[in-house]
Amino acid sequence: MPGRLAVVLEWQPSQAAPAGTSAYTITVTAVAGKFNAADQVNIYDKDGNFLAQGQLNPSTGQYTVTITNGYRGAILVKVLDSNGNATNFNDEATGTGRSLNTELRAMAMADGSANVAVTVSPLTELAARTAGLTGNLVTEAN
């Protein structure tokens, strides 16, 4: 249907993984053009608690963290402009540096053992808005 965006997530209840479960990584890739700043990355569990935080690598536009607590469930990733009006990424259309001037969000699922790759972009921000996300919570209804 024109003008509509559907977001489908497979929902698994959040719970700790069994003892002895290996750690897994979450790799965040920010895309709005090539990111070139060490912008803040925050990763939250379904209850809005921090799972991890760090900075994008300005050379790759990525942030990778190892999760060792066995968390399983929905995650919310936020990329935040951490340098004011300075350049964060190169505009693909014009090739000029641009400031993010906002936050970009993406939702994903973690099964407690498999590595997770999350792309954060203007499109995933649109999906987060369409899902009705507020604050740092990702609920079953989202």
Side-chain angles (χ1 to χ4, degrees), residues 5-135:
L5 174 68
V7 177
V8 178
L9 292 176
E10 179 182 335
W11 179 254
Q12 302 278 333
S14 170
Q15 54 189 336
T21 299
S22 62
Y24 62 95
T25 62
I26 298 175
T27 300
V28 176
T29 304
V31 180
K34 183 184 180 314
F35 269 75
N36 53 25
D39 288 315
Q40 181 73 29
V41 177
N42 294 340
I43 303 174
Y44 302 92
D45 69 13
K46 71 170 189 69
D47 296 318
N49 301 310
F50 272 116
L51 282 177
Q53 65 181 41
Q55 293 180 318
L56 290 175
N57 178 328
S59 298
T60 64
Q62 292 186 323
Y63 166 68
T64 300
V65 63
T66 300
I67 303 298
T68 58
N69 68 359
Y71 174 76
R72 295 189 311 189
I75 61 174
L76 174 64
V77 178
K78 289 184 176 182
V79 174
L80 304 126
D81 185 342
S82 58
N83 64 2
N85 290 326
T87 297
N88 298 94
F89 65 94
N90 292 327
D91 186 309
E92 292 177 326
T94 65
T96 59
R98 304 227 7 198
S99 178
L100 185 59
N101 286 333
T102 190
E103 67 182 26
L104 296 177
R105 300 171 293 172
M107 304 168 285
M109 295 295 294
D111 71 5
S113 61
N115 293 338
V116 179
V118 182
T119 298
V120 182
S121 70
L123 184 59
T124 63
E125 174 59 28
L126 177 61
R129 290 179 186 190
T130 301
L133 292 186
T134 58

